[in-house]
Amino acid sequence: MGTTTDLVFSQEEFQTRLERIQAELAKRELNGMLIHTPENIFYLTGYQSPGYYMYQCLVVPASGRPVLVLRRGELSNVQAYSWLPMEGVRTYDDTNDPVALTAETVAEMGIGKGNIGLETGSWFLPVRHYHKLERLLGEYRLVDAQGTVESLRVVKSPAEIAYIREACEVADKSMKAGLDAVRAGVNEDEAAAAMFSAMILAGGEYLGMEPFISSGYRSGNMHSAWGHKVIGGGETLLLEVAGARNRYHGALMRAAYTGTPTDEIKRATEVCIASLNAALAAIKPGVTAGEVDEACRGTIERAGMYEQFRKRTGYSIGIAFAPDWGEGHIMSLQRDDERVLLPGMVFHIPPALRVPNRYGVGFSETILVTETGCEVLTTLPRELTIAEGARA
């Protein structure tokens, strides 16, 4: 069992999560569930490792203690991070068949014949593994239970929110270091190095996705990471970064310009910030995700700049392993989405206006839905940073 100093949540919180999941299984008439998504395994057990590229599966019965199937070399990480006792773990060597071990584990646990849930949308349940499970668990009916765990993750507990606050502090410091580093004549790599250094020294941990640092024409292209380009004068820069603490993320986007901004850049900046402000003003319990999107997107549409936007307004953020730092698959702020906002939800809202291969500006915040509105958890000024000429 993990020591109390290594567990990122109390035993009571983990127990509550397990009970809630098992109550959901009962509602769906499932005798158990096979969970392959690393974020969901972490949520229920505390187990974490970058080694999730190898097969792992948490077998959750409708009642009783779950069992984790994973690679033998990861056993010490269960001991370090998870509340699971060692009898709650089944390990395989690299030469063994982990899918067969999963089927054997289901039988050993005495899970009753009938329906057993699977995460059909998990990136970590490839088709060949699904078909093998279907064959080996022939006496069971595999049922799509995608979203069962995620439905409970969307509203964060006070302890989860505390970690997201810490992550946002890391993101703030990383972003400030990046904005301080950019100027004409500096390579994008230097800005990336400054951001990574500040992130790590602030207590940040490995991210679900790399930071994005792009200048000039590259800033108009979505998801441009640093690219060895020398920053020129009269260029826009788009920077986006997350901080991570105990796998919980908070993210931040800001834009800069080297020199005096053109009227086009000034207007794009004003519209982008206005759209973000409109989204923040719309957020409160009871409004729908679509209404928040309308506030943001509508501002951009009325300015005649929708072609430079054309995306969702924001997404849930919390637990993350690569390849993404967001939880957009759980909930997004997007057109016509009727899901209702609740206190305790956390979103990253990153409106950006891009002209591909020309320029891009963007500004974002990570926010917490409160009982009366929203609290912005990231703190840097919401303004275009003016970066001057080359260093002497």
Coordinates of all heavy atoms in Angstrom, one line a residue, residues 96-130:
N96 N 4.5 -12.2 -21.4 CA 3.2 -12.7 -21.1 C 2.1 -12.0 -21.9 O 2.3 -10.9 -22.4 CB 2.9 -12.7 -19.6 CG 3.8 -13.5 -18.8 OD1 4.2 -13.1 -17.7 ND2 4.3 -14.6 -19.3
D97 N 0.9 -12.5 -21.9 CA -0.2 -11.9 -22.6 C -1.1 -11.2 -21.5 O -1.8 -11.8 -20.7 CB -1.1 -13.0 -23.2 CG -2.3 -12.5 -24.0 OD1 -2.6 -11.3 -23.8 OD2 -2.9 -13.2 -24.8
P98 N -1.1 -9.9 -21.5 CA -1.8 -9.1 -20.5 C -3.3 -9.2 -20.6 O -4.1 -9.1 -19.7 CB -1.3 -7.7 -20.6 CG -0.8 -7.6 -22.0 CD -0.3 -8.9 -22.4
V99 N -3.8 -9.4 -21.9 CA -5.2 -9.5 -22.1 C -5.7 -10.8 -21.5 O -6.8 -10.8 -20.9 CB -5.5 -9.3 -23.6 CG1 -7.0 -9.5 -23.9 CG2 -5.0 -8.0 -24.1
A100 N -5.0 -11.8 -21.7 CA -5.4 -13.1 -21.2 C -5.4 -13.0 -19.6 O -6.3 -13.6 -19.0 CB -4.4 -14.2 -21.6
L101 N -4.4 -12.3 -19.1 CA -4.4 -12.2 -17.6 C -5.6 -11.4 -17.1 O -6.2 -11.7 -16.1 CB -3.1 -11.4 -17.2 CG -2.9 -11.2 -15.7 CD1 -3.0 -12.4 -14.9 CD2 -1.6 -10.4 -15.5
T102 N -6.0 -10.4 -17.9 CA -7.2 -9.6 -17.6 C -8.5 -10.6 -17.5 O -9.3 -10.5 -16.5 CB -7.5 -8.5 -18.6 OG1 -6.3 -7.6 -18.6 CG2 -8.7 -7.7 -18.2
A103 N -8.6 -11.4 -18.5 CA -9.7 -12.3 -18.5 C -9.7 -13.3 -17.3 O -10.7 -13.6 -16.7 CB -9.8 -13.1 -19.8
E104 N -8.5 -13.8 -17.0 CA -8.3 -14.7 -15.9 C -8.6 -14.0 -14.6 O -9.3 -14.5 -13.7 CB -6.8 -15.2 -15.8 CG -6.4 -16.1 -17.0 CD -4.9 -16.3 -17.0 OE1 -4.2 -15.9 -16.1 OE2 -4.5 -16.9 -18.0
T105 N -8.3 -12.7 -14.5 CA -8.6 -11.9 -13.3 C -10.1 -11.7 -13.1 O -10.6 -11.8 -11.9 CB -7.9 -10.5 -13.4 OG1 -6.5 -10.7 -13.5 CG2 -8.2 -9.7 -12.2
V106 N -10.8 -11.5 -14.1 CA -12.2 -11.4 -14.0 C -12.8 -12.6 -13.5 O -13.7 -12.6 -12.6 CB -12.9 -11.1 -15.4 CG1 -14.4 -11.2 -15.4 CG2 -12.5 -9.7 -15.9
A107 N -12.4 -13.8 -13.9 CA -12.9 -15.1 -13.4 C -12.5 -15.3 -12.0 O -13.3 -15.7 -11.1 CB -12.3 -16.2 -14.3
E108 N -11.2 -15.0 -11.6 CA -10.7 -15.1 -10.3 C -11.5 -14.3 -9.3 O -11.7 -14.7 -8.1 CB -9.3 -14.8 -10.2 CG -8.3 -15.8 -10.9 CD -6.9 -15.3 -10.9 OE1 -6.6 -14.2 -10.4 OE2 -6.1 -16.0 -11.6
M109 N -11.9 -13.1 -9.7 CA -12.7 -12.2 -8.8 C -14.1 -12.6 -8.6 O -14.8 -12.1 -7.7 CB -12.6 -10.8 -9.4 CG -11.2 -10.1 -9.4 SD -11.2 -8.6 -10.3 CE -12.2 -7.5 -9.2
G110 N -14.6 -13.6 -9.4 CA -15.9 -14.1 -9.2 C -17.0 -13.1 -9.7 O -18.1 -13.1 -9.2
I111 N -16.6 -12.3 -10.7 CA -17.6 -11.4 -11.2 C -18.7 -12.2 -12.0 O -18.4 -13.0 -12.8 CB -16.9 -10.4 -12.2 CG1 -16.0 -9.4 -11.4 CG2 -18.0 -9.5 -12.9 CD1 -15.2 -8.5 -12.2
G112 N -19.9 -11.9 -11.6 CA -21.0 -12.7 -12.1 C -21.2 -12.6 -13.6 O -20.9 -11.6 -14.2
K113 N -21.6 -13.7 -14.2 CA -21.8 -13.7 -15.7 C -22.9 -12.7 -16.0 O -23.9 -12.6 -15.3 CB -22.1 -15.1 -16.2 CG -21.1 -16.2 -15.9 CD -19.8 -15.9 -16.5 CE -18.8 -17.0 -16.3 NZ -18.3 -17.2 -15.0
G114 N -22.7 -12.1 -17.2 CA -23.7 -11.1 -17.6 C -23.0 -9.9 -18.2 O -22.0 -10.1 -19.0
N115 N -23.5 -8.7 -18.0 CA -22.9 -7.5 -18.6 C -21.7 -7.0 -17.9 O -21.7 -6.9 -16.7 CB -24.0 -6.4 -18.7 CG -25.2 -6.7 -19.5 OD1 -25.1 -7.5 -20.4 ND2 -26.3 -6.1 -19.2
I116 N -20.6 -6.7 -18.7 CA -19.5 -6.1 -18.1 C -19.1 -4.9 -19.0 O -19.1 -5.0 -20.2 CB -18.3 -7.1 -18.0 CG1 -17.2 -6.5 -17.2 CG2 -17.8 -7.6 -19.3 CD1 -16.2 -7.6 -16.7
G117 N -18.8 -3.8 -18.4 CA -18.6 -2.5 -19.1 C -17.2 -2.4 -19.7 O -16.2 -2.9 -19.1
L118 N -17.1 -1.7 -20.8 CA -15.8 -1.3 -21.4 C -15.8 0.1 -21.8 O -16.8 0.7 -22.1 CB -15.5 -2.2 -22.6 CG -14.9 -3.6 -22.5 CD1 -15.0 -4.2 -23.9 CD2 -13.5 -3.6 -22.0
E119 N -14.6 0.7 -21.8 CA -14.4 2.1 -22.3 C -14.1 2.0 -23.8 O -13.0 1.9 -24.2 CB -13.3 2.8 -21.6 CG -13.5 3.0 -20.1 CD -12.2 3.5 -19.5 OE1 -11.2 2.9 -19.7 OE2 -12.3 4.5 -18.7
T120 N -15.1 2.0 -24.7 CA -14.9 1.8 -26.1 C -14.2 3.0 -26.7 O -13.7 2.9 -27.9 CB -16.3 1.6 -26.8 OG1 -17.1 2.7 -26.5 CG2 -16.9 0.3 -26.3
G121 N -14.2 4.1 -26.0 CA -13.5 5.3 -26.6 C -12.1 5.5 -26.1 O -11.5 6.5 -26.4
S122 N -11.6 4.6 -25.3 CA -10.3 4.7 -24.7 C -9.2 4.6 -25.8 O -9.2 3.6 -26.5 CB -10.0 3.7 -23.6 OG -8.7 3.8 -23.1
W123 N -8.2 5.5 -25.8 CA -7.1 5.4 -26.7 C -6.2 4.2 -26.3 O -5.4 3.7 -27.2 CB -6.2 6.6 -26.6 CG -6.9 7.9 -27.1 CD1 -7.9 7.9 -28.0 CD2 -6.6 9.2 -26.7 NE1 -8.3 9.2 -28.2 CE2 -7.5 10.1 -27.4 CE3 -5.7 9.8 -25.8 CZ2 -7.5 11.4 -27.3 CZ3 -5.7 11.2 -25.7 CH2 -6.6 12.0 -26.4
F124 N -6.4 3.6 -25.2 CA -5.5 2.5 -24.7 C -6.2 1.2 -24.7 O -5.8 0.2 -24.0 CB -5.0 2.9 -23.3 CG -4.2 4.2 -23.4 CD1 -4.9 5.4 -23.1 CD2 -2.9 4.2 -23.8 CE1 -4.2 6.6 -23.2 CE2 -2.2 5.4 -23.8 CZ -2.8 6.6 -23.5
L125 N -7.3 1.1 -25.4 CA -7.9 -0.2 -25.7 C -8.0 -0.4 -27.2 O -9.0 -0.1 -27.8 CB -9.3 -0.3 -25.1 CG -10.1 -1.6 -25.4 CD1 -9.4 -2.8 -24.8 CD2 -11.6 -1.5 -24.8
P126 N -6.9 -0.9 -27.8 CA -6.9 -1.1 -29.3 C -7.9 -2.2 -29.7 O -8.3 -3.0 -28.9 CB -5.5 -1.5 -29.6 CG -4.9 -2.0 -28.3 CD -5.6 -1.2 -27.2
V127 N -8.3 -2.1 -30.9 CA -9.3 -3.0 -31.5 C -8.9 -4.5 -31.2 O -9.7 -5.3 -30.9 CB -9.5 -2.7 -33.0 CG1 -10.4 -3.8 -33.6 CG2 -10.1 -1.4 -33.2
R128 N -7.6 -4.8 -31.4 CA -7.2 -6.2 -31.3 C -7.4 -6.7 -29.9 O -7.7 -7.9 -29.6 CB -5.8 -6.4 -31.8 CG -4.7 -5.6 -31.0 CD -3.3 -5.7 -31.7 NE -2.3 -5.0 -31.0 CZ -1.5 -5.5 -30.1 NH1 -1.7 -6.8 -29.7 NH2 -0.6 -4.7 -29.5
H129 N -7.2 -5.8 -28.9 CA -7.4 -6.2 -27.5 C -8.9 -6.3 -27.2 O -9.3 -7.2 -26.4 CB -6.8 -5.1 -26.6 CG -5.3 -5.2 -26.5 ND1 -4.5 -4.2 -25.9 CD2 -4.4 -6.1 -27.0 CE1 -3.2 -4.5 -26.0 NE2 -3.1 -5.6 -26.7
Y130 N -9.7 -5.5 -27.8 CA -11.1 -5.6 -27.6 C -11.6 -6.9 -28.1 O -12.4 -7.6 -27.4 CB -11.8 -4.5 -28.3 CG -13.3 -4.6 -28.3 CD1 -14.1 -4.1 -27.2 CD2 -14.0 -5.3 -29.3 CE1 -15.5 -4.3 -27.2 CE2 -15.4 -5.4 -29.3 CZ -16.1 -5.0 -28.2 OH -17.5 -5.1 -28.1

